[in-house]
Amino acid sequence: MNHTAEAPAVWDPAFVGAGDCLLSSDQCVVHGQHYFVKGLIEIPVVDSGEVFSWGVWVSLSRENFARAADLWDRPGREAEQPYFGWLTTDLPVYSPTTLNLKTHVHTRPVGERPYVELEPTDHPLAVEQRTGITLDRVRDIAAAVLHAGGGQRW
């Protein structure tokens, strides 16, 4: 019930080994100037009681990234105010693109990925986050992601 992006859309495998670039399973830095965290966009599946999750990357300001990193392993971090960010994952089943949608990143207890809340717009992804999807839609997403080609690493 989930699909995840391995890296932000701006990541290039050529960055591996560069002193000012980092890609881990949770955080990414590009050229010491662009900062990203991985989180989950959760969408209720209305006819199953389950949740479908997109594992996505969100860009944060240098200050918010540093704050999140400082609190990464600290119990109680979920009390932190949400961080503003821009979605930097192009999800292949949405038009228009999901790149640069406005988000709020909600920190959760240690060991849990942050929750990514989309700004409540009329973008199809934001609508689905608010209203939910069906199991048939989950199957359609799975088929589309499996057949998506090039660009994003899934």
Side-chain angles (χ1 to χ4, degrees):
M1 293 291 279
N2 67 70
H3 289 282
T4 190
E6 292 179 18
V10 298
W11 181 260
D12 186 312
F15 298 160
V16 173
D20 59 352
C21 295
L22 161 80
L23 177 63
S24 74
S25 61
D26 299 306
Q27 301 173 342
C28 180
V29 178
V30 174
H31 299 306
Q33 298 177 5
H34 305 285
Y35 305 90
F36 309 89
V37 294
K38 192 170 195 178
L40 298 174
I41 295 175
E42 296 177 346
I43 301 173
V45 181
V46 295
D47 51 353
S48 78
E50 296 186 56
V51 173
F52 175 83
S53 298
W54 286 109
V56 298
W57 292 87
V58 176
S59 68
L60 298 179
S61 69
R62 174 188 291 254
E63 295 77 18
N64 285 342
F65 181 84
R67 176 79 177 154
D70 287 346
L71 298 175
W72 202 257
D73 295 317
R74 187 175 300 169
R77 69 183 192 169
E78 63 273 15
E80 186 76 358
Q81 290 295 311
Y83 305 115
F84 175 81
W86 299 96
L87 187 61
T88 56
T89 301
D90 187 13
L91 299 174
V93 299
Y94 296 98
S95 181
T97 182
T98 57
L99 288 174
N100 297 318
L101 292 178
K102 293 179 182 179
T103 70
H104 285 94
V105 178
H106 298 262
T107 306
R108 296 192 206 184
V110 172
E112 293 182 36
R113 286 207 189 282
Y115 171 71
V116 177
E117 176 188 15
L118 294 168
E119 181 179 71
T121 65
D122 62 354
H123 189 282
L125 178 59
V127 171
E128 287 184 349
Q129 187 178 42
R130 288 193 309 275
T131 63
I133 58 176
T134 65
L135 277 171
D136 284 341
R137 174 69 172 141
V138 172
R139 288 193 226 16
D140 291 345
I141 289 170
V145 168
L146 289 173
H147 295 100
Q152 189 73 272
R153 291 167 304 283
W154 290 93

